[in-house]
Amino acid sequence: MWRSVAKQMPALTRAAARRSQAAAAQLTAGTTATKIAVQTRAFSSGSATDDYALNLAKVLAPEQTLEEFKQLYRTPGVKHTTVIKIGGEVIINELETLIESLRFMKDTGLFPILVHGAGPQMNAELDKQGVEPQYVGGNRVTDQKTLDIAKTIFIDTNAKLVAALNKAGVPAKGITSGVIQADFKDKDVYGFVGEVNKIHGDPVQAAIDAGEIPVLSCLGESASGQTLNINADVAARQLALNLQPLKTIFVNAKGGWIEDDGTKLKTIVMAKDYERMAARDYTGRQGTLLKLNEINTLLQGLPSSSSVVLTSASQLMREIVSKKSAGTTCIKGEKSAAASSKSDVKVSTVPRGPNGKYRVGLLGARGYVGRELIRVIGRHPELELVCASSRALGGEKVVKVAAAAPLNPHTKLPAKPVEDVKLNIDPELEFCELGLDDIATSPFGESVDVWVLALPNGYCEKYATALDALRRKDKIIIDLSADQRFNSEWTYGLPEAAGGRTRLQGATHIANPGCYATGAQVGLMPLLGGKPEVSGKHLDETVPPHVFGLSGYSGAGTNPSAANDLNVLKDNIIAYKSVKHIHEHEISHQLGTSVRFMPHVAPYFQGIHLTLSAQLADNGVITSAKQAEELYQEFFANEALVKVQSDIPFVKNNAYHPHVTVGGFQLDPDTGRLVVISTIDNLLKGAATQAVQNINIALGIDEYSGIDLE
């Protein structure tokens, strides 16, 4: 049956159908979005440029192995492009650096398509000719004289960039017309300024087929042939929307998004940051607001996993190979509970402390999770750690312990390198010993706004009962153990689940999900529906999904055992609790369908790998791995902490990051068995950052506040 269904299914997937409908709507409105079918040349292994690019990549990003880098951009048969918008100031001051970066990029297999501005060059020429530049909404008002100057400047700048590339041995093709079709934006207001309505891809395709980097200037033409001035950010936005590239990069002289106080933003999450940033006073800086608007518009039209990076010419190579951006990464994200405008949103009644922050008490601070909680809370702009309880660490300085590397329980040697971060924690704060009998009399009982319980299973319920008995009721208790995960009076804290955020708004008792359980649920929930925009169930629930789990030994805790003994783990993995594991019950309970779970411990410290095998419903809806991937992309659209990819995700790429990565989709067309890989950091998204994410939603503050989204 499965084989016959696969043969009969039309090639048009749901996502393709939606794109066709969107294109039809655009045609009705008089615009089209012609998608360029980019074909990039194959790279032969062992060539001089191949060795150069791969060796340079290792220098720039030593945290990635050569094989990882090859897998990222050099997979045989996979074609990658990136749209790069280059500011005019970069061409003036950093041309040599820019050219070297572009040469490296092309040699690595990430084919650049360039669109450049020439703002400073234009202003200099206008000044020479005694013309005062005028702007409206970030667009240069363009009369006939300004247009004539623009044509000359853009063509000259384009020729300069193309010549520099060719001189460096990088074939390039200047394209100054024939690609961007536009209408007058508003002739009475802007003059000869265009709004892009169509991209003609043939000239770009011809350059790529010839192995040349397309270099586009920001000149467009109306349907009648009138040349129009196009803002470079607008042109880059429309090119990227048409191309759907692997990466979109804005190269500017500042190397990122610079705030008024001179600080560079690491991340902009449009869902939570855009309205606030757009509401600022941009008098004299309308071009900055236009850039923000264009990036936001672009992200709304790209897959949820896409990002737009603002960086410098000197850091451009690093953007290609490094896991962390040196500039500013912009993502779509999803609006937090605080941003919702629905009238039924529950609002937290927990008051802030005297200094405007919420005071946090941590019970169970000794373990690996406790240490990560201290580090996350210590970087949070709206939380203040005032109490950290640990019998073993009583009297020691919290900051000192949090700054030190975690130790292996047997060797007492560092289990992993530690990142040096500044923690906003009172340097004199010491670990206290807050026992169960101390809760009622402790001064923290009435002053703490948020209690975080990071104690072993079986202990948290007793502490929660003692905290509930306190006179103060307007507080939040979040339990990281399994004690309350099956208690209907507590809110289960998985925001990415259908309705998860709504349930967490204003919640006072939160059960934090387990690490394995989070990764497994994210890996399976798209098959079970639950979101109105993603219809239907796709799982055959008569056949329980099987989940093979592999965790680093930090999951075994800080007490010595065989599961964290490196001598036992060397060249080995250890199976444990292969039936009736508590997470098997949790996954099944939360998904509403039976699941079989088999956990194992591996000889590395941190991170979880999950291989999930699920039998699809025989309904003819999903008959290929690509369709399964599209379903997951659709389900997790706008989720900042879930990444969906085609390739198999690696544990070491996900470790130390606060998100779940799902990928490696494989489908047996004969049987309908789907295999999905999920990776998660057991100490972060599996515990600490997930707890802070839940606290943020419950308090009504930015969902990702205090969480490094990179």
Side-chain angles (χ1 to χ4, degrees), residues 256-285:
W257 187 281
I258 308 300
E259 292 283 74
D260 293 340
D261 62 2
T263 60
K264 182 193 297 183
L265 295 182
K266 292 181 64 178
T267 308
I268 298 175
V269 182
M270 288 298 175
K272 72 181 184 68
D273 295 331
Y274 172 71
E275 291 182 4
R276 171 179 55 82
M277 294 177 70
R280 293 173 178 169
D281 182 6
Y282 287 93
T283 302
R285 300 182 298 126

Side-chain angles (χ1 to χ4, degrees), residues 488-540:
S488 61
E489 295 182 0
W490 284 60
T491 301
Y492 188 77
L494 185 56
E496 292 79 12
R501 288 179 175 83
T502 301
R503 290 188 291 270
L504 282 163
Q505 294 164 10
T508 58
H509 293 70
I510 302 169
N512 213 56
C515 50
Y516 279 125
T518 298
Q521 287 180 76
V522 169
L524 290 171
M525 64 175 65
L527 301 177
L528 290 162
K531 289 192 175 182
E533 66 274 23
V534 187
S535 60
K537 289 188 176 183
H538 308 286
L539 184 70
D540 181 349

Side-chain angles (χ1 to χ4, degrees), residues 170-329:
V170 184
K173 175 70 173 179
I175 303 174
T176 58
S177 64
V179 172
I180 303 173
Q181 182 174 313
D183 294 322
F184 280 93
K185 187 173 179 66
D186 186 330
K187 192 172 183 180
D188 293 336
V189 176
Y190 301 98
F192 294 96
V193 172
E195 181 61 56
V196 182
N197 61 37
K198 188 175 183 179
I199 297 294
H200 296 280
D202 289 347
V204 176
Q205 185 68 64
I208 292 172
D209 288 344
E212 299 172 320
I213 292 179
V215 183
L216 285 74
S217 66
C218 295
L219 292 173
E221 299 90 31
S222 69
S224 63
Q226 172 63 54
T227 299
L228 295 172
N229 183 16
I230 310 293
N231 180 279
D233 293 332
V234 173
R237 174 256 293 169
Q238 198 58 45
L239 278 169
L241 284 174
N242 280 266
L243 287 170
Q244 300 280 304
L246 185 67
K247 286 179 176 284
T248 304
I249 301 174
F250 284 58
V251 180
N252 62 21
K254 296 178 180 179
W257 187 281
I258 308 300
E259 292 283 74
D260 293 340
D261 62 2
T263 60
K264 182 193 297 183
L265 295 182
K266 292 181 64 178
T267 308
I268 298 175
V269 182
M270 288 298 175
K272 72 181 184 68
D273 295 331
Y274 172 71
E275 291 182 4
R276 171 179 55 82
M277 294 177 70
R280 293 173 178 169
D281 182 6
Y282 287 93
T283 302
R285 300 182 298 126
Q286 287 293 312
T288 302
L289 177 58
L290 185 144
K291 186 185 300 292
L292 179 69
N293 290 336
E294 294 305 322
I295 292 174
N296 182 54
T297 300
L298 171 57
L299 284 169
Q300 304 316 309
L302 294 177
S304 60
S305 58
S306 300
S307 63
V308 175
V309 173
L310 288 79
T311 192
S312 65
S314 62
Q315 294 294 336
L316 183 55
M317 283 190 281
R318 190 173 296 277
E319 300 297 338
I320 305 307
V321 297
S322 182
K323 296 175 185 176
K324 289 194 174 184
S325 171
T328 301
T329 301

Side-chain angles (χ1 to χ4, degrees), residues 331-572:
I331 62 174
K332 187 189 302 183
E334 180 176 281
K335 285 192 175 182
S336 66
S340 175
S341 60
K342 295 182 180 179
S343 59
D344 59 350
V345 170
K346 292 179 287 184
V347 179
S348 172
T349 60
V350 178
R352 294 175 183 263
N355 64 354
K357 295 185 177 184
Y358 295 100
R359 295 158 294 187
V360 178
L362 172 60
L363 303 182
R366 170 177 173 264
Y368 296 132
V369 171
R371 177 184 175 279
E372 295 295 342
L373 280 163
I374 292 170
R375 291 169 67 85
V376 177
I377 294 168
R379 297 195 300 267
H380 198 297
E382 300 190 63
L383 300 182
E384 178 188 15
L385 186 67
V386 297
C387 169
S389 174
S390 169
R391 188 185 314 155
L393 298 174
E396 294 191 44
K397 294 289 192 291
V398 172
V399 171
K400 180 180 178 181
V401 172
L407 304 179
N408 178 277
H410 295 268
T411 65
K412 304 303 180 185
L413 296 174
K416 69 169 185 177
V418 63
E419 182 182 358
D420 185 21
V421 295
K422 179 176 175 54
L423 301 179
N424 296 317
I425 296 175
D426 182 354
E428 298 304 315
L429 181 65
E430 296 179 348
F431 288 97
C432 63
E433 301 179 42
L434 198 61
L436 190 61
D437 296 335
D438 302 321
I439 295 292
T441 58
S442 168
F444 295 119
E446 300 303 323
S447 63
V448 167
D449 306 307
V450 180
W451 286 99
V452 182
L453 310 184
L455 297 162
N457 294 343
Y459 287 86
C460 287
E461 184 170 10
K462 298 174 184 177
Y463 275 87
T465 300
L467 291 170
D468 275 334
L470 294 173
R471 185 175 70 247
R472 179 179 177 180
K473 303 303 179 186
D474 54 349
K475 59 181 178 292
I476 290 174
I477 304 173
I478 182 165
D479 181 359
L480 274 72
S481 79
D483 289 3
Q484 307 297 342
R485 292 175 191 161
F486 308 98
N487 186 344
S488 61
E489 295 182 0
W490 284 60
T491 301
Y492 188 77
L494 185 56
E496 292 79 12
R501 288 179 175 83
T502 301
R503 290 188 291 270
L504 282 163
Q505 294 164 10
T508 58
H509 293 70
I510 302 169
N512 213 56
C515 50
Y516 279 125
T518 298
Q521 287 180 76
V522 169
L524 290 171
M525 64 175 65
L527 301 177
L528 290 162
K531 289 192 175 182
E533 66 274 23
V534 187
S535 60
K537 289 188 176 183
H538 308 286
L539 184 70
D540 181 349
E541 296 185 68
T542 66
V543 182
H546 283 65
V547 181
F548 172 91
L550 189 66
S551 173
Y553 68 81
S554 59
T558 55
N559 292 322
S561 69
N564 51 34
D565 187 336
L566 294 179
N567 290 323
V568 177
L569 288 169
K570 184 180 179 182
D571 301 325
N572 192 23

Side-chain angles (χ1 to χ4, degrees), residues 82-137:
T82 179
V83 168
I84 303 178
K85 183 263 178 173
I86 301 169
E89 189 174 351
V90 174
I91 297 173
I92 294 173
N93 298 322
E94 301 178 83
L95 184 58
E96 185 176 342
T97 301
L98 174 67
I99 297 303
E100 184 66 16
S101 295
L102 293 172
R103 181 165 78 95
F104 166 74
M105 183 182 297
K106 186 168 182 285
D107 285 341
T108 58
L110 190 57
F111 207 98
I113 297 172
L114 311 182
V115 55
H116 67 82
Q121 295 91 326
M122 273 287 296
N123 289 338
E125 185 61 30
L126 289 171
D127 184 60
K128 282 183 184 179
Q129 300 195 28
V131 179
E132 181 72 24
Q134 296 183 39
Y135 297 89
V136 176

